[in-house]
Amino acid sequence: MDTSESSTTEPGPIREEGAALPRRGWRRWAMDTRPLRIPAYRRLWTSTIVTAVGSQLTAVAVPKQIYDITHSSAWVGYASLAGLVPMVAFALWGGAVADTVDRRKLLLVTNTGIAVTSVLFWVQAVTGLDSVVVLMVLLAFQQAFFGLNAPARNASIARLVPAGELAAANALGSTVAQTGMVAGPLLAGVLIPVIGLPELYLIDALALCVTVWAVFRLPALPPLGDVAARRAGIREIAEGFRYISRHKVLLLSFLADIVAMVLGMPRALFPQLAHQTYHSYGEGLALGVLFAGIPVGAVLGGLFSGVFSRARRHGRMVIAAVVGWGVAVAGAGLSGNLWVAMAFLAAAGVADMISMVFRGAILLSAATDEMRGRMQGVFTVVVAGGPRLADVLHGTAGSVFGPRAAVAGGGALVVVVMLALAAAVPALRRYRI
């Protein structure tokens, strides 16, 4: 690994013997599936296929049920905040916990907690309780368990997959997640009129049972090194942030995501664009096309991730992807044609997939194992919080400058700021494995 960051010796990943054969023809372009040769990673990834869709059913069902009860979009927004706060708090704490305990056991506890919460969602729906307070409390518990779960799950990948395949593993996981974001809401829209809202919660709970079983079959993932003095408190969380500040490549990887998402995520302006700019296509169609553009591009980027997943200059790939995201978003803002705008948004989705793949690989390879949980906790917070800050920023800018100018200006800012960061701090562009 060509990096100035400190590292420790770790046991090799759990995998089958035998090197991967060179890929020829069209397979060079297709998704790199080498990590699936490793039984432990294959179990973890297979469980994600099921839960990626199931979790989106609940993500649709909760706001739908709250709106049905209150007939108020404001309450839907309050519920989102009720879920965000515990998710942020427990993701930071969960990262510290993941560095002190067997990550497999933590995954078992948290996945079981999420499944039980889904069952309780089903119970309140099937009994006709119609209580917004109960829904918000359950949502808070669900997101707290998710905050505890995500850092341990992501940090475990580096113990299951060799460093040279981390980018491919991240591409596999991110593609499944993005596919779930597209297929899950569509499936929910089809199922609600047929089987009703309560059953969506039950399907999610059953899907989570698959995840629990897959995690149960993972090998033990105890912390490495001396764990006797390790704790999971405020001091350890703060040490995680100090660790980031001391390691420039990690700091730049987080800043790259913040720059891309806060300055360049335009989703808050999609309703205004659909109403003012693309209304001639039909406002409903325009809105659906705009929201689908980025996830569709991300899925395509994942399916053809063999094009880039073997690259070794991870830092340069992140910089190029964020700049590409900015250029594509700016192009979408400048376009007056809906389908051209969607093409630009899909290109932005491809760039976002590339950025996710290599930022994730950097976090897993540049950090030592005793810090990986905390790094993933901060990563979870950044990924969840950045787009929400972007909603506020872009919504305000769209009201002042108009939606197209705000989208194009945000994309241009991403390019300028990312290039300035890359020039000022060479650690990221020099990083490679």
Side-chain angles (χ1 to χ4, degrees):
M1 183 183 298
D2 180 17
T3 175
S4 60
E5 311 302 335
S6 60
S7 62
T8 59
T9 301
E10 299 177 11
I14 301 157
R15 63 175 301 165
E16 293 176 338
E17 296 295 329
L21 295 174
R23 304 199 311 169
R24 296 187 175 91
W26 66 270
R27 294 183 62 196
R28 292 179 299 172
W29 304 90
M31 179 181 289
D32 185 352
T33 59
R34 286 177 298 161
L36 295 180
R37 296 169 179 257
I38 305 167
Y41 176 79
R42 186 166 62 242
R43 295 186 189 107
L44 191 65
W45 182 80
T46 303
S47 71
T48 306
I49 297 175
V50 180
T51 56
V53 176
S55 63
Q56 288 300 312
L57 298 183
T58 294
V60 170
V62 171
K64 174 67 168 65
Q65 188 178 1
I66 289 175
Y67 187 82
D68 288 346
I69 295 170
T70 64
H71 301 289
S72 168
S73 294
W75 274 105
V76 176
Y78 300 150
S80 178
L81 184 62
L84 176 64
V85 173
M87 189 277 292
V88 168
F90 280 87
L92 293 176
W93 182 55
V97 173
D99 289 332
T100 64
V101 302
D102 186 325
R103 288 170 184 157
R104 171 182 171 274
K105 292 180 180 178
L106 182 57
L107 289 173
L108 279 172
V109 171
T110 53
N111 278 311
T112 301
I114 297 172
V116 170
T117 307
S118 294
V119 171
L120 293 176
F121 270 123
W122 171 70
V123 170
Q124 62 81 33
V126 80
T127 57
L129 191 59
D130 287 344
S131 170
V132 174
V133 173
V134 170
L135 280 167
M136 292 175 72
V137 169
L138 289 175
L139 184 62
F141 273 101
Q142 181 199 56
Q143 291 302 297
F145 279 119
F146 174 78
L148 287 167
N149 178 275
R153 184 181 186 89
N154 294 332
S156 298
I157 295 173
R159 297 277 292 277
L160 304 176
V161 175
E165 297 179 16
L166 286 175
N170 283 331
L172 285 163
S174 297
T175 302
V176 167
Q178 292 292 331
T179 303
M181 291 178 65
V182 175
L186 292 175
L187 184 61
V190 172
L191 290 178
I192 288 174
V194 178
I195 65 176
L197 196 64
E199 282 67 28
L200 295 188
Y201 297 123
L202 186 59
I203 293 173
D204 187 20
L206 294 174
L208 283 161
C209 292
V210 176
T211 300
V212 172
W213 173 246
V215 170
F216 177 77
R217 297 193 63 201
L218 290 178
L221 296 168
L224 302 177
D226 181 15
V227 299
R230 294 193 197 178
R231 300 289 185 272
I234 298 297
R235 181 180 300 176
E236 286 69 33
I237 294 172
E239 176 57 30
F241 284 100
R242 286 193 294 270
Y243 187 85
I244 292 170
S245 68
R246 293 194 302 265
H247 295 73
K248 291 181 180 179
V249 70
L250 294 173
L251 179 62
L252 265 293
S253 71
F254 284 116
L255 288 177
D257 187 51
I258 292 171
V259 167
M261 290 297 102
V262 175
L263 297 180
M265 172 53 81
R267 67 183 185 184
L269 295 171
F270 289 166
Q272 189 177 359
L273 284 168
H275 179 69
Q276 295 181 2
T277 305
Y278 304 121
H279 57 87
S280 61
Y281 296 86
E283 189 170 336
L285 172 64
L287 186 62
V289 167
L290 291 172
F291 270 106
I294 293 174
V296 166
V299 171
L300 290 174
L303 292 176
F304 294 97
S305 57
V307 176
F308 56 81
S309 64
R310 294 171 184 259
R312 298 179 62 84
R313 295 184 178 274
H314 288 188
R316 291 187 181 183
M317 292 299 293
V318 170
I319 294 168
V322 172
V323 170
W325 163 272
V327 170
V329 168
L334 293 173
S335 175
N337 181 285
L338 176 63
W339 303 110
V340 173
M342 183 187 180
F344 274 115
L345 290 174
V350 173
D352 188 41
M353 172 62 71
I354 296 172
S355 174
M356 284 190 291
V357 165
F358 289 103
R359 281 186 294 105
I362 287 172
L363 287 180
L364 291 173
S365 60
T368 55
D369 187 74
E370 61 266 25
M371 297 300 300
R372 282 185 185 133
R374 277 165 281 187
M375 296 304 97
Q376 293 300 326
V378 176
F379 178 77
T380 301
V381 171
V382 169
V383 169
R388 287 173 171 84
L389 292 176
D391 290 345
V392 176
L393 179 62
H394 283 74
T396 303
S399 299
V400 176
F401 302 108
R404 290 180 63 189
V407 174
L413 276 175
V414 169
V415 175
V416 172
V417 175
M418 188 66 248
L419 289 177
L421 282 173
V425 186
L428 183 61
R429 69 174 186 268
R430 292 175 180 172
Y431 184 82
R432 61 179 294 168
I433 62 166

